[in-house]
């Protein structure tokens, strides 16, 4: 229904930088989304590989698409270190989440782009309410 009234731009940050699907789990360790963007925290895969640069690269690509497309709203999925907009995994690879956001969400919000969770159905419906 939304595509009849709005232009939708589906984007997967992981695919923009050629990360495999499925891909190893990755979590922000010892910091926050902003710390990652400032090189003060790491995003590590379960094997210990530091994937900061790939995550920061994908965040910049998403921001570029959003700005060029003049989007009004980004709808993200919670959990991972790029798209989490309410919760992310806690950095211990235990399956436990904590309040926080991923690097894509942080970059979008820092550039005045509204971001909501795909679970925020009431806000989503009211945002797209038409007369």
């Amino acid at each position: 229904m939304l595509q009849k009234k709005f232009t939708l731009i589906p984007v997967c940050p992981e695919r923009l930088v050629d990360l495999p699907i499925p891909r190893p789990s990755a979590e922000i360790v010892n910091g926050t989304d902003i710390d990652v963007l400032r090189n003060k925290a790491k995003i590590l895969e379960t094997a210990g590989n530091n994937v900061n640069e790939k995550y920061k690269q994908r965040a910049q690509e998403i921001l570029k698409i959003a700005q060029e497309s003049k989007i009004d709203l980004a709808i993200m999925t919670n959990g991972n270190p790029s798209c989490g907009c309410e919760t992310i995994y806690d950095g211990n690879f235990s399956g436990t989440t904590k309040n926080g956001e991923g690097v894509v969400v942080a970059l979008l919000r820092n550039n005045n782009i509204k971001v909501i969770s795909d679970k925020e159905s009431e806000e989503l419906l009211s945002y797209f309410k038409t007369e």
Side-chain angles (χ1 to χ4, degrees), residues 26-130:
E27 297 185 14
I28 297 173
V29 177
N30 297 325
T32 68
D33 51 337
I34 299 299
D35 294 330
V36 170
L37 293 171
R38 294 178 180 158
N39 295 316
K40 294 182 178 183
K42 297 176 184 175
I43 299 177
L44 300 178
E45 293 177 333
T46 51
N49 300 321
N50 183 332
V51 289
N52 273 24
E53 291 310 310
K54 286 203 178 260
Y55 276 75
K56 287 173 21 182
Q57 178 187 353
R58 78 171 74 147
Q60 289 296 328
E61 288 294 320
I62 296 292
L63 177 62
K64 181 179 176 184
I65 291 167
Q67 289 174 328
E68 288 176 353
S69 303
K70 299 179 180 159
I71 69 161
D72 296 316
L73 176 71
I75 304 167
M76 301 295 212
T77 302
N78 275 314
N80 82 27
S82 52
C83 298
C85 62
E86 296 170 341
T87 60
I88 58 172
Y89 288 99
D90 69 0
N92 295 313
F93 297 96
S94 63
T96 304
T97 59
K98 66 178 182 178
N99 291 336
E101 58 189 29
V103 293
V104 172
V105 172
L107 197 56
L108 291 175
R109 286 181 172 157
N110 285 341
N111 283 274
N112 300 313
I113 296 172
K114 183 174 180 59
V115 180
I116 65 170
S117 163
D118 60 339
K119 303 294 184 205
E120 295 179 82
S121 60
E122 286 184 42
E123 184 175 351
L124 179 62
L125 292 173
S126 67
Y127 186 84
F128 289 114
K129 185 178 179 182
T130 60

